Amino acid sequence: MDTVVSFFTSVSSLGVSVVMPIVLTIIGLAFGGKFGKSLKAALTVGIGFIGLNLVINQLMGTDLAGAVTAMVHRFGLTLSVIDVGWPAASAIAMGSIVGTIIIPLSLLVNVVMLLTNTTQTADVDIWNYWHFAFTGALVAIVTNNVAFGIVAAIINEVVVLVIGDVTAPLVEKSLGLPGVSIPHGFAGAYVPIAFAMDWLIDRIPGINKITINVESMQKRFGVFGDPVLLGSLIGLVIGILAGYGFLPSLGADGKPLPSFLACAVAMGAVMVLIPKMAALLMEGLLPISDAASAFIQKHFQSRGKIYIGLDSAVGTGHPVTLTMALILVPFAIALSLALPGNKVMPLVDLACIPYMLVLVTPIVRQNAFRGILTGIVVLAVGLYIATDLSPLITTAAQNVSFDMNGAAAISSICDGANPLTWVIVRLAALFNGVGIVIPAAGALALAWWNRMRIRKEAQELNCAK
């Protein structure tokens, strides 16, 4: 077992841009694809991930986060819990006891669910299994029982795989990703809230008629409705609020401040480059997805469709998602200060807002108005969850000797603000850990319901033939 764990830990440490090409090449060959074609497609996916990470980490993780940090200092905004970001959260999760076994464990669970027809998703995004480990690590702390933590990680995975199945048709129709599902522990957790908000808005007279279609704005307003100009305008506003001048200058702390024009151009670049990198990802995925579909149709008539489960990054390039994300950045700061009882100041993970909204976009049918309202609710709920879980996250960091740079308490938006993680953790804490039975029973019921849905879908497909 130690050898198996060591192997998967080493593979995971290669990073998503290396792991994904390896895994996808193997999958392409398993589904009958030719080696050269499978390898080229898989490498294209890896290159797409490199491009996405470069754009998001630099333009949003550095430029946008820097502007927001300057804004915070300029207006003297302070809260007691530090947002350390998803890189820190993933390191804490994978450094836990649950994290050491999460990759082989999650692969096994996924295979069992595929064999029992309780999921349609082959989740090849093994790097993002850390989301399941994060939940497990917190449950292990709150129950003082590692076994309960392992069970919690499995529960999280089962629920997320079902969410990936259910939303896959919406992802295909809305985001243009055929044969792909997004069983992402962070993005998937907000799906119930998005469905609830869409249902609620439908029942509010007047409000239910409001539609903001970002894609049609360019036709209506010409060049001024173009996503590039929209992103640049939002970046301009953020830069001005940050106190940036027309020319680069020095801040009060002596550190250099860029021009607000640089911030505007950077956010315009986000609106152009992320969709192009997402398109590159899809270029690589299509041959493998087509091979998988052909294989399943030939050998498994009773299974319905099979989806390739991928990182939510593949959906971040949608113009509605990006527009909503940039608009919601100042809302996130305002909410953190306005919400009574919140202690978390979102900083590092502001770059994760697009990931948070990837599955919201198809659920609200690309209506940016509904998406922004949903995003505000999601952020508000998330900030309270991040505040509530911050003591556990701080303890988890201390358990793996994570350097908190002198911070007394830490949290994150990804996955510290995750509603699914919060539900599992708080239910598991009931009755000295026995409460883990509640989410476990819910996950089993959800898996069984999904099996019935898959079988019905397969029968309808066979009848259509």
Side-chain angles (χ1 to χ4, degrees), residues 15-17 46-61 86 274 277 311 313 355:
V16 65
S17 60
I47 293 166
F49 271 111
I50 289 174
L52 270 175
N53 287 332
L54 285 173
V55 174
I56 291 175
N57 290 340
Q58 176 60 43
L59 297 181
M60 296 193 73
W86 74 264
I274 290 182
M277 292 303 102
D311 190 331
Y355 297 94

Side-chain angles (χ1 to χ4, degrees), residues 207 209-217 220-221 230 320 323-324 327 364-372:
I207 300 296
K209 303 297 183 183
I210 301 175
T211 300
I212 299 177
N213 189 325
V214 174
E215 293 178 308
S216 68
M217 286 177 64
R220 183 177 301 177
F221 298 107
L230 183 60
V320 175
T323 300
M324 294 190 305
I327 290 173
V364 300
R365 300 173 296 282
Q366 300 93 53
N367 185 338
F369 174 75
R370 292 190 177 203
I372 291 169

Side-chain angles (χ1 to χ4, degrees), residues 329-352:
V329 166
F331 272 102
I333 301 299
L335 283 171
S336 68
L337 298 169
L339 293 174
N342 171 62
K343 298 179 182 179
V344 178
M345 172 64 73
L347 289 173
V348 180
D349 266 347
L350 288 171
C352 287

Side-chain angles (χ1 to χ4, degrees), residues 50 60 130 162 199 207 210 232 251 257-258 264-265 268 312 329 384 407-408 445 461:
I50 289 174
M60 296 193 73
W130 76 262
V162 174
W199 179 89
I207 300 296
I210 301 175
S232 297
L257 296 177
V265 174
S312 59
V329 166
Y384 279 125
L461 286 174

Side-chain angles (χ1 to χ4, degrees), residues 186-243:
F186 182 54
Y190 300 98
V191 165
I193 297 176
F195 275 123
M197 282 295 296
D198 192 55
W199 179 89
L200 179 63
I201 293 171
D202 272 338
R203 283 151 182 79
I204 302 176
I207 300 296
N208 59 7
K209 303 297 183 183
I210 301 175
T211 300
I212 299 177
N213 189 325
V214 174
E215 293 178 308
S216 68
M217 286 177 64
Q218 186 172 4
K219 296 178 182 178
R220 183 177 301 177
F221 298 107
V223 68
F224 295 102
D226 191 284
V228 178
L229 287 181
L230 183 60
S232 297
L233 177 61
I234 294 171
L236 185 70
V237 172
I238 292 173
I240 292 172
L241 289 175

